Amino acid sequence: MKKILGIYSAPRPHWVGDGFPVRSLFSYHTHAKQLSPFLLMDYAGPAEFAPSNHKRGVGQHPHRGFETVTIVYKGEVSHHDSTGQGGTIGPGDVQWMTAGSGILHEEYHSDAFARSGGTLEMVQLWVNLPAKDKGAPAGYQAITDQQIPVVALPDAAGMVRVIAGEKDGATGPAKTFTPMNVWDMRLNQGGIAELESPEDWTAALVVLQGTVLVNGQSVAREGQLVVLDRTGSQFSVEANNDAVVLLISGQPIDEPIVGHGPFVMNSKQEILQAMDDFSSGRFGAMTPASAS
């Protein structure tokens, strides 16, 4: 069994822009070695927004050296970036953005969601790129709910949406630079999921809803992160009530990490270069986004 290294509670929420009240479940400052290739995870919401004509969100900002993965559970988020890509994602949808050599982007509540108001709930995960790929061209993958394969768990325990990686012959649609699994799991009350992650891979569980028992010994609740050891390959999750759990596991990159704000590289010199490239306009430019 993969041993539990720790269970961590989310800190108090803080605002990203004026549209996303997030709790940072982990970052590379706290779990760099334990969770490589994953750098950071913000859990936004669930939060209620009143109807408004105001454009809530985060304005144009840069990234370099990693990827951002946004999974929407409730509400709608619109994205626009300097590659000309963009669109609106809603419940069950995912956007997988490669910052690579450099990108500018903005994220807002969709116009329709802003006008109607309602509940916003989403996760944003930062995924590191190996040094050889930090200069990769910027890119964007729009993944709809319908494109994500669903695997039923034995004994009606629930189901797994395979966003990235593979489970029981189902392959997720996300294209990744290093091997990883990103599974969105819905567990039924009393259901037990017997799961597997390759030996020497990092692995973690994020409880978004409900309460679960991990490896038959430790309880994890909503807003908690369960970090598992690289050693071993198997672990279990039992739902004490209906639960939503995100599993991330991956082959570690194990290279130096130097981060500064929206840039994550391998050295301080590369960070200084990123800052210079951004201020000099070498990240490209954004054209006006169409209405969403």
Side-chain angles (χ1 to χ4, degrees):
M1 299 282 285
K2 278 188 177 292
K3 187 169 67 174
I4 297 170
L5 296 180
I7 298 177
Y8 306 90
S9 297
R12 293 174 63 86
H14 64 276
W15 283 90
V16 175
D18 65 356
F20 306 106
V22 307
R23 290 172 283 173
S24 296
L25 289 161
F26 68 86
S27 77
Y28 53 87
H29 297 298
T30 60
H31 291 88
K33 184 173 179 61
Q34 292 173 316
L35 292 180
S36 175
F38 307 106
L39 294 168
L40 175 149
M41 182 181 287
D42 282 344
Y43 179 29
E48 294 296 324
F49 287 89
S52 173
N53 291 320
H54 173 64
K55 189 176 183 181
R56 296 188 182 100
V58 185
Q60 179 178 311
H61 59 283
H63 289 298
R64 173 178 278 184
F66 61 98
E67 301 185 286
T68 67
V69 181
T70 304
I71 306 168
V72 173
Y73 289 88
K74 295 178 181 177
E76 287 186 342
V77 178
S78 292
H79 161 93
H80 180 58
D81 65 47
S82 52
T83 70
Q85 298 292 311
T88 296
I89 58 173
D93 299 337
V94 177
Q95 67 175 24
W96 197 295
M97 186 188 78
T98 302
S101 60
I103 199 169
L104 305 176
H105 82 139
E106 60 183 21
E107 299 163 287
Y108 288 96
H109 298 184
S110 73
D111 290 345
F113 178 71
R115 287 193 300 267
S116 67
T119 305
L120 178 73
E121 183 181 7
M122 55 172 269
V123 165
Q124 186 168 94
L125 173 69
W126 288 16
V127 179
N128 201 12
L129 292 172
K132 66 182 181 65
D133 294 315
K134 285 188 179 290
Y140 176 77
Q141 301 175 66
I143 302 171
T144 65
D145 182 31
Q146 291 75 21
Q147 292 174 299
I148 299 172
V150 176
V151 176
L153 294 169
D155 302 319
M159 59 88 165
V160 175
R161 300 171 69 238
V162 185
I163 296 169
E166 187 273 339
K167 177 166 177 54
D168 297 345
T171 301
K175 297 178 176 63
T176 66
F177 283 80
T178 57
M180 69 186 68
N181 290 321
V182 178
W183 297 348
D184 176 24
M185 303 192 298
R186 315 299 170 95
L187 304 178
N188 299 323
Q189 182 175 359
I192 301 176
E194 301 289 349
L195 302 169
E196 190 165 344
S197 178
E199 177 83 24
D200 296 329
W201 278 28
T202 60
L205 300 160
V206 178
V207 183
L208 302 178
Q209 295 176 27
T211 303
V212 300
L213 185 67
V214 183
N215 286 350
Q217 64 185 57
S218 298
V219 173
R221 296 178 172 84
E222 184 270 329
Q224 290 191 315
L225 167 76
V226 182
V227 178
L228 300 169
D229 197 0
R230 294 187 187 187
T231 303
S233 60
Q234 296 180 328
F235 52 101
S236 67
V237 183
E238 179 179 354
N240 294 341
N241 41 39
D242 290 349
V244 177
V245 180
L246 188 65
L247 166 70
I248 55 173
S249 64
Q251 185 179 81
I253 294 176
D254 288 343
E255 294 175 346
I257 293 174
V258 180
H260 181 81
F263 310 128
V264 181
M265 302 301 290
N266 300 109
S267 69
K268 183 177 179 181
Q269 182 56 44
E270 289 175 331
I271 292 293
L272 295 174
Q273 185 64 56
M275 296 170 68
D276 183 65
D277 288 346
F278 168 59
S279 62
S280 301
R282 288 191 282 270
F283 278 33
M286 289 179 59
T287 57
S290 59
S292 56

